[in-house]
Amino acid sequence: MAAQISKADFREAMARVCAPVNIITTDGTAGRGGFTATAMCSVSDEPPTLLVCMNGRSAQAAMFLANRRFCVNVLTHDHMHLAGKFAGAIRDMEARYSAARWQTLTSGTPALSDAIVNFDCEIEDVHVVGTHNVMIGRVIDVRHGSGGSALLYVDRNYTQPTRLGSFGG
């Protein structure tokens, strides 16, 4: 059996993993919400499915689970200010949403108009793992947006990818 690592050691190690920054939104009978997340990835393309992890202690957790839908909005570097707002810099949800332009997708979720891509999802399953809800979303619609440079998060800071130049000769 492997030795247990501390929460602090794990968090420090994960801080070194570069990840794209997303705003996860929902709207429905339980209300409109949204949060910033880097814990999002593809699960399968048959059927198109992805997962998002959300802290189960979040004040919005019940809202997302009750609405049974969410939208993953992949951010550009120009959205850094918006990522901070949805990460909790602003508590008021209306103020968060008024800081950008949104449109409504098939499921009724708000989609950031100038995101790199929006994934409109219906929650198919939820697994509780430790402190987080792992929401499995079946993708029902995709909207391709801007071609801006992705907003990334690594070493507890926002950054953007750098171009490495072309290969070959």
Side-chain angles (χ1 to χ4, degrees):
M1 188 155 185
Q4 293 285 336
I5 65 167
S6 72
K7 176 181 172 180
D9 285 344
F10 180 72
R11 289 179 69 127
E12 184 61 32
M14 288 305 299
R16 296 170 187 220
V17 176
C18 185
V21 182
N22 311 281
I23 291 177
I24 315 301
T25 57
T26 191
D27 201 355
T29 57
R32 182 169 70 162
F35 66 99
T36 300
T38 56
M40 183 282 290
C41 69
S42 168
V43 173
S44 175
D45 63 357
E46 287 186 20
T49 310
L50 53 78
L51 69 78
V52 171
C53 298
M54 178 183 198
N55 192 317
R57 292 178 275 187
S58 166
Q60 298 183 63
M63 175 192 312
F64 272 80
L65 298 180
N67 284 343
R68 304 293 300 167
R69 58 188 175 209
F70 61 83
C71 180
V72 174
N73 301 279
V74 181
L75 303 184
T76 70
H77 193 264
D78 293 338
H79 295 125
M80 189 183 314
H81 72 287
L82 198 58
K85 288 175 175 44
F86 277 84
I90 293 178
R91 290 243 184 260
D92 180 62
M93 197 59 62
E94 201 54 44
R96 291 181 187 186
Y97 275 96
S98 67
R101 290 186 347 257
W102 303 88
Q103 60 190 84
T104 303
L105 295 182
T106 305
S107 74
T109 58
L112 182 61
S113 295
D114 58 347
I116 292 173
V117 65
N118 312 96
F119 296 96
D120 194 14
C121 301
E122 292 179 346
I123 295 177
E124 208 166 78
D125 203 359
V126 178
H127 298 273
V128 177
V129 179
T131 58
H132 281 65
N133 294 330
V134 180
M135 300 183 293
I136 309 296
R138 185 174 50 83
V139 180
I140 60 170
D141 196 10
V142 173
R143 190 183 133 294
H144 299 274
S146 75
S149 181
L151 180 60
L152 304 175
Y153 193 74
V154 65
D155 287 332
R156 296 182 177 89
N157 290 296
Y158 294 117
T159 189
Q160 64 183 343
T162 57
R163 302 236 181 243
L164 299 175
S166 60
F167 293 100

Coordinates of all heavy atoms in Angstrom, one line a residue, residues 32 91-99:
R32 N -29.7 30.9 -12.0 CA -28.5 31.0 -12.9 C -27.2 31.1 -12.1 O -27.2 31.9 -11.1 CB -28.7 32.3 -13.7 CG -27.6 32.5 -14.7 CD -27.9 33.6 -15.7 NE -27.9 34.9 -15.1 CZ -27.8 36.0 -15.7 NH1 -27.7 36.0 -17.1 NH2 -27.8 37.2 -15.1
R91 N -19.1 38.3 -5.8 CA -20.1 37.4 -5.3 C -21.4 37.5 -6.0 O -22.1 36.5 -6.3 CB -20.3 37.6 -3.8 CG -19.2 37.2 -2.9 CD -19.6 36.0 -2.1 NE -18.5 35.6 -1.1 CZ -17.7 34.6 -1.4 NH1 -17.8 33.9 -2.4 NH2 -16.8 34.3 -0.5
D92 N -21.8 38.7 -6.4 CA -23.1 38.9 -7.0 C -23.1 38.3 -8.4 O -22.3 38.8 -9.3 CB -23.4 40.4 -7.1 CG -24.7 40.7 -7.7 OD1 -25.7 40.3 -7.2 OD2 -24.7 41.4 -8.8
M93 N -24.0 37.4 -8.7 CA -24.0 36.7 -9.9 C -24.4 37.6 -11.1 O -23.9 37.5 -12.2 CB -25.0 35.5 -9.8 CG -24.9 34.5 -10.9 SD -23.2 33.7 -11.0 CE -23.1 32.9 -9.5
E94 N -25.3 38.6 -10.8 CA -25.7 39.5 -11.9 C -24.6 40.4 -12.3 O -24.4 40.6 -13.5 CB -26.9 40.4 -11.4 CG -27.7 41.0 -12.5 CD -28.2 40.0 -13.5 OE1 -28.7 38.9 -13.1 OE2 -28.1 40.3 -14.7
A95 N -23.7 40.8 -11.4 CA -22.5 41.6 -11.7 C -21.5 40.7 -12.5 O -20.9 41.2 -13.4 CB -21.9 42.1 -10.4
R96 N -21.4 39.4 -12.2 CA -20.5 38.6 -13.0 C -21.0 38.5 -14.4 O -20.2 38.7 -15.4 CB -20.5 37.1 -12.4 CG -19.9 37.0 -11.1 CD -19.9 35.5 -10.6 NE -19.4 35.4 -9.3 CZ -19.2 34.2 -8.7 NH1 -19.5 33.1 -9.3 NH2 -18.8 34.1 -7.5
Y97 N -22.3 38.3 -14.6 CA -22.8 38.1 -16.0 C -22.8 39.4 -16.7 O -22.7 39.5 -18.0 CB -24.2 37.5 -15.9 CG -24.2 36.0 -15.9 CD1 -24.3 35.3 -14.7 CD2 -24.1 35.3 -17.1 CE1 -24.2 33.9 -14.7 CE2 -24.0 33.9 -17.0 CZ -24.1 33.2 -15.8 OH -24.0 31.9 -15.8
S98 N -23.0 40.6 -16.0 CA -23.0 41.9 -16.8 C -21.7 42.3 -17.3 O -21.6 43.2 -18.1 CB -23.6 42.9 -15.9 OG -22.8 43.2 -14.8
A99 N -20.6 41.6 -16.9 CA -19.2 41.9 -17.3 C -18.9 41.4 -18.7 O -17.8 41.6 -19.2 CB -18.2 41.4 -16.3

